[in-house]
Amino acid sequence: MFINKSQFEPGPDSDLELPEATGAKRFMQIIQEEFLNLIKLNLLLLASCLPVITIPPALFAAHQVVRKMVRDEAVSCWRDYKTALKTGWKRAYGAFFLIAFPVSIGGYGAIFYLSHVEQSPLLILPFAFCIFIAVVAMLSSTYFYGLLCTGTSLKEAVKPALLLGVARPLRAILAVLCWYGLPLLAILFFPLSGAYLALIGFTFPFLLGSFYTRTVLKRFCEGQGKNTEK
């Protein structure tokens, strides 16, 4: 069922160079190559989240490993995950709260103003503003984590993530639907989705979402002269 990366490389006697796979074909290659690592990573993520307070670094570490899969780099699941936990926990907490705060405030404000809009139609304006803040924060988060995983500092990643979230919203929307929508949908169908959540319920959406934003981040990093993504 699963295949090795060497199967997609031309043999030593081959005169033809295989074209680089893109789109759905490339994604299926990643799934076939990294399926077991996705399961291992999902189990590591769930185990790391049990203390609750470790959720931010666990999420960052999972994204770090997933990014290596998307960039077609060799993945040692436990070693890479452990390294990301140790070296990125400060950035992980900062990133988590920089995203969670505006999303939470925007969501709460939207619900509050919507519940009182009948009393004053003008409240539709702060309602729309709160929705805008929450949506921009979620869209930017897909690029924010991607930039952090390339080694960009927390401070340097904020502005370009916001710009990319607004300027390149289509891929960010697809990534948001994967990152937040698929796990939420699975949780709503729990316990029927229990096995799926335990095995790939979080890492598969992370991989799919990261795959959608990879080309935008690649072009941006190339323009900035940083590490590029495949």
Side-chain angles (χ1 to χ4, degrees):
M1 175 180 177
F2 307 112
I3 54 180
N4 298 321
K5 294 182 180 181
S6 59
Q7 291 179 261
F8 298 100
E9 298 176 357
D13 299 327
S14 177
D15 295 328
L16 297 176
E17 191 172 316
L18 294 177
E20 181 182 1
T22 57
K25 183 179 179 181
R26 177 62 193 137
F27 183 73
M28 291 306 301
Q29 287 180 3
I30 297 175
I31 290 293
Q32 291 176 311
E33 294 165 7
E34 305 291 355
F35 189 77
L36 292 180
N37 278 330
L38 285 175
I39 294 177
K40 294 177 186 177
L41 182 60
N42 203 78
L43 295 174
L44 284 172
L45 174 62
L46 294 177
S48 302
C49 289
L50 288 179
V52 179
I53 195 173
T54 58
I55 289 178
L59 289 174
F60 177 78
H63 280 292
Q64 185 83 35
V65 178
V66 164
R67 280 286 170 185
K68 293 193 70 174
M69 296 178 186
V70 171
R71 293 197 298 264
D72 197 26
E73 298 177 5
V75 173
S76 176
C77 195
W78 167 245
R79 184 182 63 197
D80 292 336
Y81 186 79
K82 183 179 179 181
T83 300
L85 279 177
K86 287 185 175 181
T87 60
W89 65 271
K90 291 183 179 180
R91 285 184 297 160
Y93 279 109
F96 183 84
F97 289 109
L98 280 174
I99 295 168
F101 182 75
V103 171
S104 300
I105 294 298
Y108 174 80
I111 294 174
F112 174 81
Y113 289 118
L114 184 63
S115 63
H116 293 80
V117 74
E118 292 183 358
Q119 301 174 12
S120 175
L122 290 178
L123 291 179
I124 196 69
L125 296 178
F127 163 76
F129 178 74
C130 289
I131 288 291
F132 175 78
I133 294 297
V135 169
V136 169
M138 293 178 70
L139 294 178
S140 300
S141 70
T142 62
Y143 295 117
F144 192 40
Y145 271 99
L147 289 169
L148 292 177
C149 290
T150 64
T152 308
S153 67
L154 195 67
K155 183 178 180 181
E156 293 176 342
V158 172
K159 183 177 179 180
L162 287 171
L163 292 175
L164 289 173
V166 174
R168 299 297 180 89
L170 180 57
R171 289 181 177 270
I173 289 172
L174 294 174
V176 164
L177 292 176
C178 296
W179 282 15
Y180 304 106
L182 291 180
L184 178 60
L185 188 63
I187 291 172
L188 292 176
F189 279 93
F190 188 82
L192 295 177
S193 59
Y196 164 76
L197 283 171
L199 295 177
I200 58 170
F202 297 95
T203 52
F204 175 75
F206 290 171
L207 179 67
L208 184 56
S210 297
F211 189 77
Y212 280 128
T213 59
R214 78 195 189 286
T215 53
V216 176
L217 288 171
K218 177 182 178 181
R219 291 166 187 163
F220 176 81
C221 291
E222 287 176 344
Q224 298 296 313
K226 298 180 180 178
N227 293 330
T228 59
E229 300 192 19
K230 286 190 178 184

